[in-house]
Amino acid sequence: MRPTFVMCFTRMVSLAATGTYLFFRMTRPTHPGPFALPAVFNTLATVSQYIALGFVAFAEFGAAKSLRILIVGLYGSKDNKERIAWGLVSFLAAKWLFWYEFSRTEWTMPLPIGIIWLIIFILADSYTSIGQEEIYKRFKVSNFTMMFYINSYMLILIIPQLFLEEDTLLVTARALTHNPWYICSLLLLTVCAGIAQFFALRLIRQYGALTFTVACTFRTLFTVVAAKYLRYGYYDWYEVLEVIGMILIVVAIMFRRKPWKRTHGKNLPRVLYADLMPLISED
């Protein structure tokens, strides 16, 4: 089964589900224009990731996913100190993931075309989350509205590819007819992809693109950390220091920002706090 068909099917089902939900809800009309760029960059990130994996190994790809923090950190940081801190976290995570695969298998220098596609993936995927955060800030749309328009634009870009690729529909039809379990697997993948997309957008909407990127990077990092212990049963001393250092930097930034002390409505005009209809007259 071709990846193009899988991507098209999952996006089409997600579009139908979100469209049905929005049809029966009272939602504010939103112009579809602002959603075009994040959808285009999301598609570009997916395509570049798929092509890059044909030229590079997990070591380079894992490091590339970690370097997204460097790009998004430039946008989401409060000042230069935070930008430097996020840059350090990004390079440490990239080094950890790269060195794990580099020391485990025989590594060869990838072709320049693979590195170029990785750079395109880093920039495109970083802008996708940044663009979505800007849309949330400016237009106050819901997660379902974002999913609906993003999937709409992505289908416009993906559907023509189904007919450009040779025998894609024929190979998919043959696979589904010869093995019906493919349908169950495809439906399960569609449900998981829809849930993942919803919660990813929810994370960006509530906490920002930087938090989403850091969460994705640490998910991969902790998975690799656990995999190394299960495989080898030990860590080198510098690897322990690197992981602890990254955690301490993130904790330090959290205590510096103190998001738990934010009070909504603190800067409202005083007139909104006034009791215009007192129960007891002062006369």
Side-chain angles (χ1 to χ4, degrees):
M1 190 178 298
R2 300 289 175 82
T4 307
F5 176 80
V6 175
M7 187 186 305
C8 181
F9 183 83
T10 55
R11 298 292 179 175
M12 192 173 296
V13 173
S14 179
L15 176 68
T18 53
T20 303
Y21 175 83
L22 294 175
F23 180 78
F24 291 101
R25 298 283 294 182
M26 290 293 294
T27 57
R28 181 178 61 182
T30 305
H31 195 281
F35 301 91
L37 281 179
V40 171
F41 277 94
N42 193 359
T43 306
L44 179 60
T46 304
V47 172
S48 59
Q49 171 184 345
Y50 178 74
I51 297 176
L53 287 174
F55 299 96
V56 302
F58 174 79
E60 300 86 10
F61 182 68
K65 290 179 73 69
S66 301
L67 292 177
R68 295 177 302 170
I69 298 179
L70 181 64
I71 306 299
V72 183
L74 296 175
Y75 160 80
S77 298
K78 300 296 183 181
D79 50 32
N80 290 330
K81 291 182 180 179
E82 283 194 10
R83 293 185 179 93
I84 295 173
W86 287 124
L88 183 59
V89 171
S90 177
F91 284 117
L92 286 175
K95 182 265 176 187
W96 217 103
L97 295 174
F98 178 83
W99 190 257
Y100 166 75
E101 186 71 13
F102 177 79
S103 60
R104 189 175 67 88
T105 60
E106 182 179 353
W107 183 79
T108 56
M109 183 66 184
L111 296 175
I113 186 64
I115 302 298
I116 292 174
W117 280 111
L118 278 182
I119 295 174
I120 295 175
F121 163 73
I122 294 172
L123 297 176
D125 198 59
S126 300
Y127 179 78
T128 299
S129 54
I130 292 174
Q132 289 169 344
E133 181 180 350
E134 286 296 321
I135 291 175
Y136 280 130
K137 287 181 179 179
R138 298 185 182 186
F139 301 100
K140 311 299 180 184
V141 298
S142 66
N143 294 326
F144 288 103
T145 303
M146 177 73 78
M147 290 178 64
F148 178 79
Y149 285 112
I150 292 293
N151 291 328
S152 299
Y153 279 108
M154 291 191 70
L155 283 174
I156 293 175
L157 299 173
I158 294 173
I159 288 178
Q161 188 66 22
L162 289 176
F163 301 95
L164 293 177
E165 291 184 355
E166 185 178 358
D167 295 336
T168 298
L169 298 178
L170 181 62
V171 170
T172 303
R174 187 183 299 117
L176 294 176
T177 53
H178 283 75
N179 192 346
W181 284 107
Y182 276 144
I183 300 177
C184 298
S185 301
L186 188 60
L187 293 176
L188 180 61
L189 179 62
T190 301
V191 173
C192 293
I195 295 174
Q197 185 185 23
F198 174 81
F199 281 103
L201 293 175
R202 177 62 182 267
L203 192 62
I204 294 174
R205 183 173 185 263
Q206 189 166 355
Y207 299 105
L210 182 57
T211 303
F212 167 73
T213 307
V214 173
C216 292
T217 301
F218 272 77
R219 176 196 60 189
T220 305
L221 177 65
F222 290 147
T223 302
V224 174
V225 169
K228 179 170 183 178
Y229 184 79
L230 293 175
R231 181 181 293 271
Y232 299 106
Y234 73 94
Y235 298 112
D236 294 320
W237 63 269
Y238 58 86
E239 294 176 333
V240 176
L241 291 179
E242 289 169 352
V243 174
I244 294 176
M246 286 184 282
I247 295 174
L248 290 178
I249 291 174
V250 174
V251 171
I253 294 176
M254 289 178 59
F255 276 93
R256 190 169 183 264
R257 290 193 176 191
K258 295 181 176 63
W260 54 86
K261 287 189 176 182
R262 293 177 184 175
T263 55
H264 299 285
K266 184 177 180 180
N267 298 322
L268 291 175
R270 291 184 179 180
V271 66
L272 296 181
Y273 294 101
D275 187 3
L276 301 181
M277 298 181 64
L279 297 177
I280 301 176
S281 177
E282 297 178 358
D283 295 339

